[in-house]
Amino acid sequence: MNIGVFDSGLGGLTVVSAIEKTMKGVNIFYVADTKHAPYGEKTPSQIRQYSLNITAYLIATYKIDALVLACNTATSFAIESLRLLYPHLIIIGTEPGIKPAILQSKRGKIGVLATPATLKSSKYQSLAKALSKDTEIQFFEQACHGLVEQIEKGELCSDKTKALLSSWLIPMKAEGVDTIVLGCTHYPLVAQTISHIMKDEVILIDTGMAIGQRLLTLALNKGYHNKGSNLLHVEATGYIVEDMVKKILHRNYSIENISIDNKLK
Ligand code: DGL
């Protein structure tokens, strides 16, 4: 089984790690669209176009059987178009884990960290509205301007990253927030910094493993046998900090630089 996975950069590798835990005998083709990162500061039509181009590239180059949008922002604006265009492809998106957060929060005060584009999207707005209806749940939403750039640079706990996170988290802590949704696949990479600022009195919700499980269920339904060893190929459309890739995947990696625009011509 060939699985295409993409994100604007390093973040989707947190999802790849989860997929590698649930799936066996698969070929994973990962595209980090660093040329266009951060997606969260782009317009809906730009985000949709990048997602369509990467998917067309993955299908043409690797004949993928499944596609994982390892990006909340791309899922917000492109998953519906992709499902219409490719009805036979298994397509899995990433959505902020609001539901598990509601189940786990004791005080019903939930922080949602996400990109500006994700929080503005009608997909997120309607999900949050539907899930908080008739409940005492209170959401504290924070668009994390600049955080993806810090993570892409490998600054997971630098002074600037800590200052950014503290400016958003300390007010949440004062409000009694006990659960935080990591609504961008980059943010699990700063989970330790977040826990440290919240003094560990917080539950962090990351949906990587749920995506891995969902992919396994859909693959088994299509008759796929879950055995053998996995292959992972990593490509980037622009600059990527290779040490970060190694750190996230816990092994050495050679990364291929690609130009999707040229390959699609
Ligand atoms: N990792 C992505 C997400 O889950 C995109 C972040 C960005 O490029 O702004 O939203």
Side-chain angles (χ1 to χ4, degrees):
M1 184 179 204
N2 288 349
I3 306 169
V5 185
F6 78 89
D7 177 39
S8 63
L10 296 166
L13 292 172
T14 60
V15 178
V16 167
S17 298
I19 294 173
E20 286 194 309
K21 289 196 183 101
T22 56
M23 305 293 288
K24 293 195 181 75
V26 295
N27 303 318
I28 303 170
F29 300 97
Y30 183 78
V31 174
D33 192 13
T34 49
K35 184 180 170 192
H36 299 120
Y39 278 10
E41 314 273 346
K42 301 289 188 306
T43 65
S45 64
Q46 284 175 310
I47 298 163
R48 192 173 304 112
Q49 197 55 53
Y50 303 147
S51 306
L52 294 180
N53 289 352
I54 295 170
T55 305
Y57 163 76
L58 286 167
I59 291 174
T61 315
Y62 299 115
K63 316 257 173 302
I64 54 169
D65 308 291
L67 174 75
V68 177
L69 286 77
C71 175
N72 294 259
T73 313
T75 303
S76 300
F77 300 104
I79 198 160
E80 269 132 41
S81 311
L82 288 168
R83 287 196 168 126
L84 281 175
L85 271 170
Y86 305 109
H88 302 298
L89 197 62
I90 294 177
I91 300 182
I92 299 177
T94 311
E95 282 182 21
I98 298 182
K99 232 189 235 178
I102 292 175
L103 292 174
Q104 291 188 50
S105 171
K106 293 211 169 62
R107 292 188 211 119
K109 296 199 176 202
I110 297 170
V112 182
L113 304 181
T115 67
T118 295
L119 289 179
K120 270 189 255 156
S121 71
S122 52
K123 199 169 177 62
Y124 170 79
Q125 292 290 336
S126 47
L127 180 73
K129 205 165 154 195
L131 292 177
S132 60
K133 209 168 92 198
D134 308 325
T135 67
E136 298 293 299
I137 301 291
Q138 226 183 324
F139 291 121
F140 296 81
E141 289 152 354
Q142 180 63 56
C144 300
H145 289 282
L147 184 55
V148 164
E149 289 93 319
Q150 288 301 104
I151 296 170
E152 283 295 320
K153 283 191 272 181
E155 291 195 22
L156 305 185
C157 54
S158 67
D159 288 347
K160 186 171 172 197
T161 304
K162 278 192 219 154
L164 275 175
L165 283 166
S166 300
S167 71
W168 304 319
L169 296 173
I170 288 170
M172 285 190 193
K173 194 167 164 55
E175 290 282 358
V177 164
D178 66 354
T179 306
I180 291 184
V181 175
L182 303 176
C184 166
T185 54
H186 279 73
Y187 302 167
L189 299 171
V190 286
Q192 272 185 9
T193 311
I194 294 175
S195 293
H196 185 74
I197 295 168
M198 296 297 280
K199 308 218 181 321
D200 291 322
E201 295 153 8
V202 72
I203 301 166
L204 300 182
I205 307 286
D206 162 17
T207 51
M209 279 316 284
I211 293 168
Q213 293 295 349
R214 176 88 188 126
L215 181 59
L216 178 60
T217 306
L218 295 182
L220 291 174
N221 285 348
K222 283 217 169 180
Y224 155 82
H225 300 287
N226 196 33
K227 53 174 180 255
S229 49
N230 294 335
L231 175 149
L232 171 63
H233 185 70
V234 182
E235 299 178 347
T237 59
Y239 178 71
I240 192 160
V241 179
E242 298 206 8
D243 278 350
M244 281 299 296
V245 177
K246 289 177 197 160
K247 192 170 168 177
I248 301 166
L249 297 171
H250 303 293
R251 58 193 192 274
N252 259 345
Y253 243 88
S254 72
I255 295 142
E256 194 188 331
N257 259 88
I258 54 159
S259 164
I260 287 184
D261 307 333
N262 287 343
K263 292 202 179 180
L264 283 177
K265 271 180 200 154

